[in-house]
Amino acid sequence: MLSLHQVTVTYGAAVAVDDVSLELSAGEVLAVLGPSGCGKSTLLRAVAGLEPVSAGRITFDGGDLAGVPTHKRGFALMFQDGQLFNHQSVGANVGYALRIRHRPRREVATRVEELLELVGLAGYADRAPATLSGGERQRVALARALAVEPRLLLLDEPLSALDKSLRERLALDLREILTRAGTTALFVTHDHEEAFAVADRMALMRAGRPVQDGTLAEVWEHPADSEAASFLGYPTVLDGSAADAVLTAAGLPVGDGVALRRSALRVSAEGPLHGVVLSSRVTPDAVRVEVDVPGVGVVASVTSDGTAPPSPGQEVRLEVARNRLAVIPRR
Amino acid sequence: MKRLLTLAGLAALPVLVLGVFFVLPVTGMLGQGLWPDGRFAPGDVLEVLARPRVHRVLWFTVWVAATATLVTLLLGVPTAYALHRLRVPGRSVVRAAFLVPFVLPTVVVGIAFDRLVSTGPLEVLGLDGSPVTIIAAMVFFNLAVVVRTVGAAWEGLDPRPGEAAAALGASPWQVFRTATFPALRGSVVSAASVVFLFCSTAFGIVLVLGGLRYSTVETEIYLLTTSLFDLPAAAALCLLQLLVVTVLLLLAARARSAPGQAARRRVEPSRVRLYDAPALLATALGLLLVAVPIAMLVTGSLRVDGAWSLANYRALDTTGGDGLVDVTVVEALVNSLRTAVDATWIALLIGGLVAVIATRRSHGPAERRIRGLLDGFFMLPLGVSAVTLGFGFLITLDEPPVNFRESPLLVPIAQALVAMPLVVRTLVPVLAGIDDRQRQAAHSLGASPLRALVTIDLAVVWKPLLAAAGFAFAISLGEFGATSFLSRVDHPTLPVLIYRLLGQPGTHNYGMALAAAVVLALATASVMFVVERLRVPGVGGF
Amino acid sequence: MNRALRTTLATITALTLTGAASCTLLADDGDDSGETKIEATDGVDPADAIAGTTVTLVTHDSFNLPKKLIRQFQKDTGATLKIRPSGDAGKLTNALALSQSNPIGDVAFGVDNTFASRAVDEDVFATYAAELPGSAEKLRLDGDAGDKLAPIDQASVCVNVDTAWFEKNDQEPPTSLDDLTDPAYKDLTVIPGAATSSPGLAFLLATIAEYGDDWPDYWTDLVGNGAELTEGWTDAYYGGFTGGGDGDRPIVVSYDTSPAFTVDKKTGETTTAALLDTCFRQVEYAGVLENANNPVGGQAVVDWLLSPEVQAALPDNMYVFPVDDSVALPKEWAKFAQQPTEPYEVSADDISEHRAEWLTEWTDIVSR
C-alpha cells in the first residue's frame, strides 16, 4: 500500500506539490483529478522517483522510498503519449521490462502474446510503433507497463491524447483490465469523466494542494467547495442568495452553496421557481433548456419526457430534484 | 544534493582530463607571458593589444573565418540534404569522399591549391596569394563537418511538419525556412560554430597559401612564440583568442537553444525531384571543390620525370636506407592507425560523457547553468593554438603527479582534445532531441540508468556516434601540429613522415610524399566507407 | 536487439578490445629514464659511468642517422640512446629554453647559429668543451658559448637558379643579390619566409650582412620586383621553383648542397646552380643541457656526433656538410655541391640582439 505523508516538491522557489498526504490500498485505483498545472503530474513523478521530494515521506508497504531509484521501485509509469520506444517493435516494447529482468526468452514471448491479447492487440507483436493509431499506441504502452505486474501502476493522463469516443471506450477497457489484473494504480487526469470511468477513489488537487479525497460517490455527493464542484462536472454552481433561492425551492435549509446537475432543475407547471427561456435544444437524452431565473441567474435545466421543447422567450416554471444536487457547506 | 553529486561524479573524468591536458598547460604558457621574470606584468599584455598590427590581424582572422563559414554552410547544408535525404546513386562513396580533405596534410593541400591558382587552369583569375584561395581551402577542409553534422540530424527528421506546411501552400523554400530549418537549427549552429573555430584557428593553410602576406591570430601566436620569443605578446593574443572563442560559444549556445524538440523517425531517402536541383548543384560544386585539389595530388603522385609512372607507389614499402627515420610509409601508416584508435576512444569516451552530462534534464537553474558551462568548457580546446598547447605540455606536465611528458598516450590525448568538441557537437543535438520521458519510462519499467542509456540513448545516437567516431579517427590520422611536437622519432605517424619526406631534397622524395598523402587519403576514405557500411539500414530497429 | 546491430556491437567490442591489447600505444612502454642523477667521478672512464643508463637526445624533426651507428653507440657505452624530436629549430630552441629547469633530455642537437645566442642566454647549455676536429675550430662560437656548444655540421643558404630554364629561355641567370631586384628578373624569384623558416632567416641575414642598415630598402625592391614568399623551404623549392617540382619560378633560396640533387640522369650534369656569392652559412651545434639527469651520457653523445663515423654519415642522412673536412664526401656532392669560400656572416650576438626587431620590420615590409 502506498502512503504519502505531507509530501512537498519544489522547483527552485516554486512549490509544485504542497504538503500532500494520500493513502492508496492494494488493488485500488486512485484518480488524482485537477486542472493543468495543479501539480498532479509532479506528484506522480515524485512517487515514481523522478522528482526529488523536498519534504515529507513516501512509503510503500511501510518501506520508505527515499533513496530508492526509479528502476528499483518496482512500479511502472505510463505516459500521456505512451512514449513507446520507436526503435523497437511492438512486441519488443511490451517485453522490455521482462528482458531487463533476464526472463527466459520463451517466457517473454508467451507473456507478450498474453498481454497483447489482454489489451486487444493480438498479433501486433511485429508491428512498428510508428504504424499504430493513437489508441493502439496507448494500449501497447499499457501492456508494456503491466508486463512485470508492477506493485503500483502510475498513469499520467493515459487517455487525454485520444479523441472522445475512443477515450470513453478505452477508459472502460482500462478499468476492466486493471480490475481483472488486480493492479494497484495511481492515475492522474484533468478529465473528470475519465476519473469516474476508471477509478475507485478520487483525490482532487488544486495549486499543489489536496482539496478533497474519498470514494467516487463521496466526492461526487459532497464537493468540498464550489470550484471543486465545477471541476467535478456540475454545470451550475451557485452560492449566496442564488443558492438560497434554489435550496428553499428544494425544501432544504439555506446558508450553504449548491451544485446542480443539469437534471436537478426540470421544467414543470407546478415548480417553485420561474424564469424566461433563453434557448432550448433537443439531445438524445433530454431537451436541454437554458432558463434565466430572476434572483438566481441563467441555469441549465431539462424538460420532462414527452413535453414539447419550450421556445425562447416563453415563461416557464422549474422544480428542483433534491437527489440531483449537492450541498456545498459554507466554510 | 544527490543529483549534484551524480553530476559531479559523471563530470569528474572529463574535467580531470581537460584540466590536466588543457587548462594546466595553457595557463602554464600564459603564466610565462604574464609573469615574464616571475613578476606580474599585465602592462606588457595591454600594450600588445593596442598595437595596430594586432588589430589588423584580428580583423583579418574574423572576416576570413566568417566568410569561409558562411560559404561552407551555403554549400554544406544542401549537400547534407542531397546525401542524406535523397536517393542519389553512390551516396555513401560521396559522403566518404567529403571526409578525405580532413586528413590531408596541410602543406600538401597548400601546394595543390597553390598550383591550381598559380599555374593551373585558374591562373587567369589572378587568385595567387589572395584571401580567396585561403577561404576556398578552408571550405575544402570543413565541408565534411557541415555535411556530417547537419546530415545526421536531417536523416532522422520527421518529414510530416514539412509535408503539412507544403499542404498549406508553402513552396519548397518556404517549407525549408519555416518547418525544416527550425528543426535543424541546433545542428546547423553546432556545425557552424565548429567550422568557425576551425577556420579562425587555421594555421597551416594561412601560412602556406597566404604567402606570409596575411596573418591570423593563430599564425601570429606561432611567430611570436617560436620566432620572436615574445611570450608576453603571445599570451596577450592567446587571451584575446580565448575571449573571442568564449563570446562566440555563448552566442552559439543562445542560438542553439532551439524551441521544442524535433520528432525523429526513420525516413527512407526520397526520389530526386526537380526542385532538388539547387541542392544537387551545391553538392556538385562542393564535390568539385573537394575533388580538384585531390585530383591534382593524385596526378602529381603518378608523374615521375614528366611521364606517368607508379614508381612513387612502389617506393612506399622501401626505406632506401638504414636511417633512423627510414620508416616505410606502411609502418608509419600502422603507427598512425594505432594512434588514431587511441585518440578515437579517448575522444568518444570523454566527448560522450560530456554530451550526456550536457543533455540530461536539469533540476533548477543552477544545475542547468553548470551543465551549460561544462558543455562550453569542452569547446575551448578548439580556440587555443597548437603551439601554446604543445609548449604548455613541455613545461607543465614534467613533475609528478602529472608527469606525462614521456607518456605514449600524450599524442593521442592531444589529438583527442581537438576531436572532442566535434564529438560533443555531433552528439548533443541528437541526445537533446530525445524526449526525457523515454528514459523515465525505461526507468519506471526497471531499467537502471546504464541500461536506459544503452536502450534509449545509444539506440538513437548510434549513427551520430559512428559519425563522430569517424571524425575523431580522421582528425587523428591527419593531425600534424601537436603530433610533430610530441611524437617519437622512430614511431612517426604518416603525416609526420610525409612532412619529413617533403623536407628532404630530391624529386623522388617529393613524389613519394605525394604518394604517401594519397595513401593516407585512401586509408581514411576506406575507414569512413566501412563506417558508412556499419550504419546498417535498420540499425534503427534495435 | 536485431542481429545486424548485435553483430556490429560485437565487432566494435572486439575492435575495442584488440585496440586495448595491441592496436593502441598503451602496449608500448614509455621506458622512462631513471631520475637518478649521474655525475662524472674522477678516475672513472665516463664510458663505464653511463653503462646501463638512458641518455635522451633532444633534436629537430630533420634529425636522421643510420640505425647501425646508434646501435654502435649503445654497444660502446652500454647506455640506451633515446631520441626526441621537438619540431623545427625554432621550436626546439624554445622548448629547451622553456624547460630549462627540468629539461626534456640530457643533450641537444640542432640549435643553429641563428638561435644559439637565445639558448645560451637562457642558460640552456652546460659547459662542456668537446675536442673538435681541426677544421671545426673556426666554426666555434665566440665567448662562453664556445665552451658550451660544439659545431657538428654546416650548410650554406644560397640563391639557386635553374640553369636549364635560363638556357631554354635564352637569358643570363642572375649572379648576385643585386640582380634579384633587376626588372629583367621580375616575378622569377621564390623565397621561404624569414619569420617561418630557418633558410629564410639565413637569407635575411645574408642581405643584412650585405646592405647593412639599408636592408629594408633592398627588401622593398625585392618584393616590388615580384618575389614570392612562402612559408617554408618545402613550398618554395617544390611548390615554386622550376628546378625542384612543378613550380614556375627559376630562382629560389635554397642550399649550397641542392644542386647535387638535380642531376639529370641522361647527361649526368646538374640542372641547377648555387650562387656562391649570395650565401649565409648555417652551423648546427650540439651541447649538454644544464640540469640534465645524465650529463655524462650527454657528453658522450656530443663526442659521438663529432666522431668520424657520424660525421661521414651526415651528408647522406641530413643533407649537410660535416664540420670535419677530413671525412670523405659522397661522389655527387664532391662534384656538384660547392661550398662558398667567403659566406656572409652576422655574429651570433648581433643576431640575438636584433632578431626580433629585424623580423618584425621584415614582416611589416612583406605583409604590406
Side-chain angles (χ1 to χ4, degrees), chain A residues 72-197:
Chain A
K72 295 206 173 127
R73 295 196 173 190
F75 302 167
L77 174 61
M78 179 180 162
F79 284 103
Q80 178 175 7
D81 48 1
Q83 291 297 333
L84 295 183
F85 306 143
N86 279 334
H87 52 277
Q88 300 183 346
S89 70
V90 166
N93 264 285
V94 174
Y96 182 84
L98 297 165
R99 273 178 290 126
I100 278 181
R101 287 165 176 76
H102 305 291
R103 298 280 172 78
R105 190 176 297 210
R106 184 173 306 172
E107 186 195 319
V108 174
T110 324
R111 180 89 178 115
V112 166
E113 250 170 68
E114 231 174 78
L115 285 160
L116 285 176
E117 196 151 331
L118 179 72
V119 298
L121 292 176
Y124 274 56
D126 293 329
R127 296 271 294 267
T131 64
L132 301 183
S133 72
E136 288 167 340
R137 292 174 64 88
Q138 287 308 82
R139 286 166 190 267
V140 174
L142 180 63
R144 183 175 75 174
L146 289 173
V148 282
E149 290 159 5
R151 304 196 285 172
L152 173 65
L153 179 63
L154 303 167
L155 302 136
D156 188 359
E157 310 233 4
L159 308 174
S160 315
L162 309 175
D163 62 63
K164 188 168 163 27
S165 65
L166 192 57
R167 190 164 67 223
E168 282 169 1
R169 210 171 63 226
L170 210 53
L172 294 175
D173 287 357
L174 182 59
R175 167 85 195 159
E176 197 201 323
I177 291 167
L178 292 179
T179 324
R180 204 180 332 150
T183 311
T184 314
L186 177 62
F187 157 42
V188 307
T189 180
H190 66 269
D191 178 9
H192 60 275
E193 285 181 22
E194 207 172 298
F196 281 112

Side-chain angles (χ1 to χ4, degrees), chain B residues 339 411 414-415 476 478-488 492-493 496, chain C residues 85:
Chain B
T339 313
V411 171
Q415 296 174 344
S476 165
E479 213 281 335
F480 174 72
T483 314
S484 73
F485 226 88
L486 306 166
S487 77
R488 290 188 287 171
T493 61
V496 171

Side-chain angles (χ1 to χ4, degrees), chain B residues 232-294:
Chain B
L237 285 181
C238 191
L239 283 173
L240 187 68
Q241 202 176 24
L242 275 175
L243 185 77
V244 171
V245 168
T246 310
V247 169
L248 176 82
L249 290 178
L250 288 177
L251 288 178
R254 176 168 293 186
R256 238 190 346 255
S257 53
Q261 286 158 332
R264 306 192 66 77
R265 64 198 300 240
R266 255 183 66 66
V267 193
E268 286 303 317
S270 56
R271 214 161 35 80
V272 178
R273 275 160 295 186
L274 189 61
Y275 63 71
D276 293 327
L280 291 176
L281 188 69
T283 312
L285 267 177
L287 199 59
L288 198 69
L289 182 70
V290 170
V292 168
I294 296 176

Side-chain angles (χ1 to χ4, degrees), chain A residues 43-330:
Chain A
L43 183 71
L44 190 80
R45 296 168 55 81
V47 173
L50 295 166
E51 298 295 341
V53 172
S54 6
R57 256 161 27 102
I58 303 176
T59 59
F60 195 88
D61 287 346
D64 196 333
L65 291 177
V68 180
T70 304
H71 64 280
K72 295 206 173 127
R73 295 196 173 190
F75 302 167
L77 174 61
M78 179 180 162
F79 284 103
Q80 178 175 7
D81 48 1
Q83 291 297 333
L84 295 183
F85 306 143
N86 279 334
H87 52 277
Q88 300 183 346
S89 70
V90 166
N93 264 285
V94 174
Y96 182 84
L98 297 165
R99 273 178 290 126
I100 278 181
R101 287 165 176 76
H102 305 291
R103 298 280 172 78
R105 190 176 297 210
R106 184 173 306 172
E107 186 195 319
V108 174
T110 324
R111 180 89 178 115
V112 166
E113 250 170 68
E114 231 174 78
L115 285 160
L116 285 176
E117 196 151 331
L118 179 72
V119 298
L121 292 176
Y124 274 56
D126 293 329
R127 296 271 294 267
T131 64
L132 301 183
S133 72
E136 288 167 340
R137 292 174 64 88
Q138 287 308 82
R139 286 166 190 267
V140 174
L142 180 63
R144 183 175 75 174
L146 289 173
V148 282
E149 290 159 5
R151 304 196 285 172
L152 173 65
L153 179 63
L154 303 167
L155 302 136
D156 188 359
E157 310 233 4
L159 308 174
S160 315
L162 309 175
D163 62 63
K164 188 168 163 27
S165 65
L166 192 57
R167 190 164 67 223
E168 282 169 1
R169 210 171 63 226
L170 210 53
L172 294 175
D173 287 357
L174 182 59
R175 167 85 195 159
E176 197 201 323
I177 291 167
L178 292 179
T179 324
R180 204 180 332 150
T183 311
T184 314
L186 177 62
F187 157 42
V188 307
T189 180
H190 66 269
D191 178 9
H192 60 275
E193 285 181 22
E194 207 172 298
F196 281 112
V198 179
D200 300 315
R201 286 177 57 229
M202 185 187 299
L204 280 181
M205 237 178 117
R206 208 159 57 219
R209 307 192 63 109
V211 177
Q212 175 176 23
D213 71 310
T215 63
L216 295 185
E218 281 165 11
V219 175
W220 176 242
E221 283 162 20
H222 306 286
D225 54 29
S226 47
E227 247 181 283
S230 299
F231 203 77
L232 285 170
Y234 285 97
T236 310
V237 180
L238 304 169
D239 58 6
S241 58
D244 289 349
V246 173
L247 287 170
T248 310
L252 290 167
V254 298
D256 290 322
V258 65
L260 304 170
R261 289 162 78 173
R262 187 173 287 280
S263 52
L265 298 177
R266 184 177 296 270
V267 178
S268 157
E270 279 85 52
L273 298 171
H274 63 93
V276 180
V277 173
L278 295 179
S279 69
S280 68
R281 199 153 50 87
V282 180
T283 68
D285 297 334
V287 177
R288 300 182 165 192
V289 188
E290 305 291 320
V291 182
D292 187 357
V293 180
V296 175
V298 178
V299 295
S301 64
V302 295
T303 61
S304 308
D305 294 342
T307 16
S311 44
Q314 192 181 329
E315 289 243 356
V316 291
R317 299 191 76 83
L318 298 172
E319 66 175 12
V320 184
R322 271 162 73 165
N323 59 348
R324 294 190 168 270
L325 57 79
V327 176
I328 304 168
R330 177 165 297 167

Side-chain angles (χ1 to χ4, degrees), chain B residues 181-325:
Chain B
F181 185 75
L184 287 177
R185 195 168 74 178
S187 65
V188 171
V189 173
S190 269
S193 52
V194 169
V195 170
F196 185 85
L197 283 182
F198 274 153
C199 289
S200 60
T201 58
F203 170 69
I205 308 176
V206 180
L207 279 184
V208 174
L209 292 177
L212 299 181
R213 259 177 288 172
Y214 304 101
S215 247
T216 61
V217 174
E218 186 89 2
T219 62
E220 198 72 1
I221 290 174
Y222 174 81
L223 293 183
L224 287 168
T225 309
T226 64
S227 176
L228 299 175
F229 305 127
D230 189 351
L231 294 183
L237 285 181
C238 191
L239 283 173
L240 187 68
Q241 202 176 24
L242 275 175
L243 185 77
V244 171
V245 168
T246 310
V247 169
L248 176 82
L249 290 178
L250 288 177
L251 288 178
R254 176 168 293 186
R256 238 190 346 255
S257 53
Q261 286 158 332
R264 306 192 66 77
R265 64 198 300 240
R266 255 183 66 66
V267 193
E268 286 303 317
S270 56
R271 214 161 35 80
V272 178
R273 275 160 295 186
L274 189 61
Y275 63 71
D276 293 327
L280 291 176
L281 188 69
T283 312
L285 267 177
L287 199 59
L288 198 69
L289 182 70
V290 170
V292 168
I294 296 176
M296 298 214 47
L297 195 65
V298 175
T299 51
S301 72
L302 289 169
R303 303 284 289 183
V304 175
D305 297 331
W308 296 100
S309 161
L310 281 172
N312 288 327
Y313 289 88
R314 280 195 289 270
L316 290 182
D317 67 336
T318 63
T319 64
D322 175 40
L324 187 64
V325 293

Side-chain angles (χ1 to χ4, degrees), chain B residues 341 345 466 473 527 530-531 534, chain C residues 7-24:
Chain B
V341 167
W345 73 254
L466 279 177
F473 203 80
V527 169
V530 170
V531 168
L534 276 180
Chain C
T7 321
T8 318
L9 269 181
T11 318
I12 300 282
T13 317
L15 276 176
T16 317
L17 290 177
T18 336
S22 71
C23 289
T24 92

